Amino acid sequence: MSDDVVMQVMEGVAWVTLNRPDSMNAINNGVREAIPRLLDQAQADDAVRVVVVQGAGPKAFCTGADIREFNPVASLALDRQRRVHANWINAFERVRKPVIASIHGYCLGGGLEIALCCDIRIAADNAVFGFPETGLGFLPGAGGTQRASRVLGLGLALDLVLSGERIDASQAQRIGLISRLCEASALREQTAALAAKMAAKPPLAMQLAKEAVRQGHDMNLANGIRLEADLQTHLLNTQDRLEAAAAFREKRPPKFTGQ
Ligand code: COA
């Protein structure tokens, strides 16, 4: 097992760090193997309430696929292998807990695709975003063409994908690519504060609220409303909901168990 991605769990937060700083955290097969393994581990661990994805080193969140590994697709077997590898990023769909992307520096190609898989994107003011793929003769193939339009709308997604132009953090905030922006020196602290706030909430409510928003987004309104009602019914029967109300009445901090 490589250490191309490392995970540390602290106080309810799993910090998943893309850990190839000498290559600006470019995505190699080690990263493709580690991401699903670590995300599945974080999902299975009851001590983890929130996941944060970040990049190691001062320069980048992630600059996309490792261009030094690019080879001609020589056979059907290789092509099949490429498709299997392309599935690594779908591991994000299996994480029911909130996932935060904490972005500094370059966030390009597959790096942007990782960020788009996350529920909340917080970025440092030195962050730079873009899809360089078409200039390299291919397309953002780890879900980027699909998730960009869902996050940004058709027009902005087409602009980013087809122009390949980079945008800075304030432009990214303006178009809704990130929802939070801070000074680079404050990124870790701001990310930790947000993660801690979310980790302290009733975990089941967090997971089902995420499910309602995410799954509902791919449904028509009537089905989305039905989904929301079903998930709410489930939450109405949880101990944590009663505990939240009791703690409010008794003017004390709540103690949530996830039940
Ligand atoms: N794949 C492989 N190596 C990468 C990489 C990538 N996607 N992105 C950066 N690196 C490596 C560089 O090769 C270099 O390694 P070296 O020091 O061994 O030569 C190191 O990271 C630093 O990159 P460098 O290009 O020297 O830094 P820079 O500040 O001049 O430029 C970028 C930074 C991000 C603009 C530039 O590295 C770049 O364009 N990278 C490719 C981005 C891209 O097209 N990604 C999409 C792939 S689908």
Side-chain angles (χ1 to χ4, degrees):
M1 250 180 273
S2 74
D3 63 355
D4 290 335
V5 186
V6 292
M7 182 166 81
Q8 195 182 11
V9 178
M10 285 183 300
E11 292 168 2
V13 181
W15 293 82
V16 175
T17 306
L18 306 167
N19 189 36
R20 304 185 69 223
D22 293 343
S23 306
M24 296 207 179
N25 303 317
I27 300 163
N28 63 357
N29 282 338
V31 173
R32 295 184 185 95
E33 176 276 325
I35 287 279
R37 176 169 50 78
L38 294 175
L39 291 181
D40 288 349
Q41 207 174 305
Q43 175 56 37
D45 183 350
D46 283 342
V48 173
R49 300 280 173 91
V50 174
V51 178
V52 173
V53 184
Q54 63 180 358
K59 291 190 174 162
F61 174 74
C62 171
T63 54
D66 191 320
I67 298 175
R68 288 170 298 200
E69 289 187 346
F70 282 14
N71 288 311
V73 176
S75 68
L76 263 181
L78 247 182
D79 187 45
R80 209 171 298 125
Q81 185 189 29
R82 186 186 60 73
R83 284 169 191 277
V84 169
H85 282 146
N87 287 336
W88 62 275
I89 203 164
N90 296 338
F92 281 93
E93 313 285 348
R94 296 196 292 272
V95 185
R96 302 183 69 199
K97 303 167 183 182
V99 183
I100 301 170
S102 180
I103 303 160
H104 73 287
Y106 291 107
C107 178
L108 302 176
L112 180 49
E113 292 179 300
I114 290 176
L116 285 167
C117 287
C118 297
D119 303 311
I120 296 181
R121 284 167 288 282
I122 175 170
D125 53 10
N126 65 4
V128 174
F129 302 84
F131 278 130
E133 283 89 342
T134 50
L136 292 162
F138 56 105
L139 52 77
T145 60
Q146 306 306 301
R147 292 193 179 94
S149 62
R150 282 166 173 76
V151 171
L152 302 170
L154 197 57
L156 288 165
L158 281 165
D159 191 323
L160 273 184
V161 169
L162 297 180
S163 75
E165 283 175 12
R166 295 186 199 149
I167 60 170
D168 63 22
S170 58
Q171 277 176 289
Q173 188 178 40
R174 225 170 15 251
I175 67 172
L177 178 54
I178 58 170
S179 55
R180 290 164 186 253
L181 177 60
C182 65
E183 285 181 13
S185 59
L187 181 63
R188 170 85 190 191
E189 185 193 328
Q190 301 252 334
T191 304
L194 175 63
K197 197 181 289 178
M198 297 200 301
K201 288 172 181 253
L204 210 52
M206 295 299 279
Q207 291 182 31
L208 297 196
K210 166 172 169 167
E211 187 176 333
V213 176
R214 278 206 169 271
Q215 290 203 10
H217 193 245
D218 284 334
M219 292 176 173
N220 65 34
L221 184 61
N223 286 337
I225 297 284
R226 215 166 293 142
L227 170 72
E228 182 189 80
D230 288 348
L231 296 174
Q232 185 75 302
T233 303
H234 187 73
L235 287 172
L236 294 181
N237 288 321
T238 60
Q239 287 169 18
D240 279 348
R241 189 181 76 86
L242 299 176
E243 164 63 9
F248 178 79
R249 281 193 304 269
E250 294 160 21
K251 301 189 189 305
R252 61 168 173 82
K255 265 189 153 169
F256 297 124
T257 59
Q259 303 298 307

